[in-house]
Amino acid sequence: MRTLFSFTLVAAALAPATLSAQSWESNGSPATIVELYTSEGCSSCPPAEAALNKLKGKEGLWTTVIPMAFHVDYWNYIGWTDKYAQPEFSQRQRQKVSQSRASGVYTPGWFINDQEWRGFFARQPVPYAHGPKAPKLKASINGNTLRINFEGNERLQAQYALLAMDITTQVKRGENRGRTLEHDFVVVDFDTKTGQHNWQFALDGNTAANPSAIAVWLTPQGGGDPVQTLAGWLE
């Protein structure tokens, strides 16, 4: 059964540092969350990013699969500083390892619904599928404030990511020296909070690249399969 997913975009005249006022909602099955841990300093990462980028053309983008590329900073020491890397992303990957959700910290590192996936190295396509139907999830942006509402009763971890698309970088040093890298789904702002029913986040107005999309997903407090998700393009 196809996910019932709808979103409403409402444009507003806001200051240049803010996003246009918009709202989204999802009341069907959660999408699969795909996280790729990558770096512009890693010579093995461009093929993985190319596989992630292909999801941009999939019919089920946002409704059945939500791809994200978290750029880590632990490759910066070899001569090329990845401007999209954040230490918080490296820590997020380490935390997954500490929770026994992965065998180690490395790039390219794939996670499907919070669990390590090594199928990429066996040339398998990125897997994704609908989860069970879940209560309605709503999100809205007004100025630099993101508000999230969930009609379920569980105490959950709410997470959001602002995603930048169509990025090209000419790498001048390090393992990818001389290569032109193409990035999609780059996480440029991210945060997470635990709560019930309602969450509020302050969005970062000074991101490394202009975001083109947003993803919101709820998981159990200890991690695992998403309880509900929504995502869509920004105006």
Side-chain angles (χ1 to χ4, degrees):
M1 183 175 181
R2 294 182 64 84
T3 297
L4 299 175
F5 177 90
S6 63
F7 60 88
T8 304
L9 303 179
V10 182
L14 300 171
T18 64
L19 296 169
S20 296
Q22 300 166 72
S23 62
W24 302 261
E25 67 177 51
S26 176
N27 60 357
S29 302
T32 298
I33 299 295
V34 177
E35 299 181 41
L36 172 63
Y37 290 80
T38 183
S39 170
E40 290 184 340
C42 160
S43 62
S44 301
C45 288
E49 290 202 35
L52 191 78
N53 294 351
K54 287 181 180 178
L55 296 176
K56 182 169 61 174
K58 295 297 183 182
E59 182 179 353
L61 180 64
W62 308 141
T63 58
T64 58
V65 61
I66 300 175
M68 290 174 281
F70 287 86
H71 285 236
V72 297
D73 68 345
Y74 52 79
W75 279 97
N76 288 356
Y77 76 95
I78 64 171
W80 179 255
T81 299
D82 184 340
K83 69 178 181 179
Y84 305 108
Q86 296 187 33
E88 294 82 0
F89 300 163
S90 302
Q91 181 56 34
R92 179 173 172 82
Q93 187 182 22
R94 294 187 184 103
Q95 183 179 24
K96 291 179 185 293
V97 174
S98 70
Q99 294 171 337
S100 300
R101 299 187 183 281
S103 58
V105 176
Y106 59 89
T107 56
W110 293 84
F111 289 82
I112 307 295
N113 285 351
D114 214 20
Q115 188 65 44
E116 180 183 35
W117 176 67
R118 297 187 60 85
F120 169 78
F121 304 103
R123 301 189 179 187
Q124 297 174 7
V126 178
Y128 54 91
H130 285 301
K133 185 176 173 61
K136 183 181 293 185
L137 176 64
K138 297 180 180 179
S140 64
I141 291 175
N142 191 355
N144 282 335
T145 300
L146 170 66
R147 292 181 174 85
I148 299 170
N149 172 265
F150 181 57
E151 294 184 355
N153 293 318
E154 306 99 317
R155 186 169 178 81
L156 299 169
Q157 191 171 9
Q159 301 164 85
Y160 84 86
L162 296 181
L163 308 176
M165 308 289 288
D166 302 314
I167 294 173
T168 300
T169 300
Q170 293 181 340
V171 180
K172 298 179 180 179
R173 294 178 298 278
E175 287 191 359
N176 287 316
R177 180 176 56 188
R179 301 182 71 169
T180 299
L181 305 181
E182 297 181 354
H183 306 309
D184 285 315
F185 306 110
V186 178
V187 178
V188 293
D189 188 23
F190 170 82
D191 201 359
T192 179
K193 290 181 181 179
T194 300
Q196 187 176 12
H197 297 306
N198 298 288
W199 298 261
Q200 180 172 308
F201 295 92
L203 303 177
D204 188 351
N206 298 302
T207 56
N210 291 328
S212 300
I214 186 170
V216 174
W217 66 108
L218 307 179
T219 61
Q221 293 184 66
D225 290 350
V227 175
Q228 186 57 290
T229 66
L230 63 76
W233 299 107
L234 296 168
E235 285 194 344

